[in-house]
Amino acid sequence: MARKAIGIDIGGTGIKGALVDVRKGELLSERVKFATPEGGRPEDIAEVVKKIIATLPGVSRGMAVGICFPAVVQHGRTMSAANVSKEWIGFDADAHFERVLGRSVHVLNDADAAGVAEMRFGAGRRRRGLVMMTTLGTGIGTALFMDGKLVPNAELGHLEIGGVDYETKASFAAKERENLDWDSWSARLQTYYATLERLFSPDLIIVGGGVSKNHQEFLPKLKLAAEIVPAQKRNNAGILGAAWVAADKHYD
């Protein structure tokens, strides 16, 4: 594997990127961020990604690019679209970005990328068995790993519990929307994680998303058989994981 790759994290409101040391799991540059263009169309987003890469110091011509994206991604195609244009549904994202950027590109789901970062460099490092990564934000993103290997596109934030898509009740956005205190929100998280545990019997659950910096306010309130811990890479996780996967795919 090469030592360096470019990581790009595409969201509904912002696109950020950095040069990454994929052996150490560290950023080699400051993160560069631009607003996601209105409408979130493929051509417009690709131009912003191109602009970010041109801004990064130390980028060489043959460097691979990993892009994490808010969608189910199968064989380089984005099969859904969250907070971006519906033009992405069924779209060959790998080929599109490779054409615009002139580089080897690997696109993957954003929660999967964050999970890869935690498994390689963070809270899941050297952990065997079934590990579940969850990100608590606008929704609930999830990633599954068995003995360190990713099982892609696990959309377990959409588990139906009590007749509702439970990310609408237990995401951090739901906490803010309903002005829930930590105890009330933790009760909902208990329902969610207990359901995951009943269905999958994980050995470890990693909790990410911006709210994980306040993990002491809610994780100690959860009563589970599985160990549950905060993520370590936080806002850099998508960039780190996407870059690692791109380097791995480019040189395998």
Side-chain angles (χ1 to χ4, degrees):
M1 180 186 286
R3 177 172 168 260
K4 301 177 184 178
I6 300 160
I8 303 289
D9 185 345
I10 295 175
T13 59
I15 302 173
K16 57 191 177 184
L19 185 61
V20 175
D21 183 327
V22 296
R23 296 184 182 177
K24 294 182 178 179
E26 298 175 353
L27 300 189
L28 294 172
S29 71
E30 294 294 323
R31 291 189 305 172
V32 175
K33 184 174 181 178
F34 292 100
T36 302
E38 187 175 352
R41 298 182 64 249
E43 290 294 338
D44 297 334
I45 284 181
E47 287 301 320
V48 173
V49 172
K50 186 176 182 179
K51 183 179 178 181
I52 288 173
I53 293 172
T55 305
L56 296 174
V59 170
S60 64
R61 187 165 185 173
M63 221 170 265
V65 182
I67 299 176
C68 64
F69 196 86
V72 170
V73 182
Q74 292 182 307
H75 311 294
R77 287 185 175 273
T78 45
M79 306 306 293
S80 60
N83 302 312
V84 290
S85 170
K86 300 305 180 187
E87 292 177 29
W88 289 98
I89 298 174
F91 187 73
D92 192 341
D94 274 7
H96 173 64
F97 282 113
E98 287 183 345
R99 176 180 60 79
V100 174
L101 303 178
R103 296 174 179 274
S104 172
V105 175
H106 187 79
V107 179
L108 70 161
N109 172 267
D110 50 3
D112 286 349
V116 167
E118 290 297 326
M119 294 301 293
R120 302 300 305 187
F121 311 115
R125 193 171 181 218
R126 297 193 180 97
R127 294 297 295 258
R128 308 290 289 176
L130 180 61
V131 178
M132 307 185 80
M133 171 78 180
T134 64
T135 57
L136 303 174
T138 304
I140 299 177
T142 60
L144 288 179
F145 297 84
M146 187 62 198
D147 290 338
K149 294 185 181 299
L150 174 67
V151 181
N153 298 309
E155 292 286 308
L156 298 176
H158 297 296
L159 278 177
E160 186 175 304
I161 304 172
V164 299
D165 181 335
Y166 212 67
E167 75 170 12
T168 65
K169 302 288 286 183
S171 66
F172 182 62
K175 179 186 185 302
E176 292 192 308
R177 184 175 60 248
E178 299 182 42
N179 196 29
L180 300 174
D181 60 25
W182 291 110
D183 285 344
S184 298
W185 188 51
S186 297
R188 295 188 183 187
L189 291 177
Q190 175 67 37
T191 298
Y192 175 69
Y193 285 114
T195 302
L196 284 183
E197 187 166 69
R198 177 171 57 82
L199 293 173
F200 293 95
S201 300
D203 297 286
L204 174 68
I205 301 171
I206 302 170
V207 180
V211 71
S212 65
K213 67 180 179 292
N214 301 118
H215 61 88
Q216 70 281 354
E217 300 285 356
F218 62 96
L219 288 190
K221 301 178 190 296
L222 304 182
K223 307 303 178 187
L224 302 166
E227 182 182 3
I228 185 165
V229 299
Q232 295 177 2
K233 295 304 177 181
R234 297 183 184 170
N235 288 336
N236 291 333
I239 290 173
L240 293 172
W244 188 92
V245 170
D248 185 52
K249 296 291 183 183
H250 188 49
Y251 293 98
D252 64 7

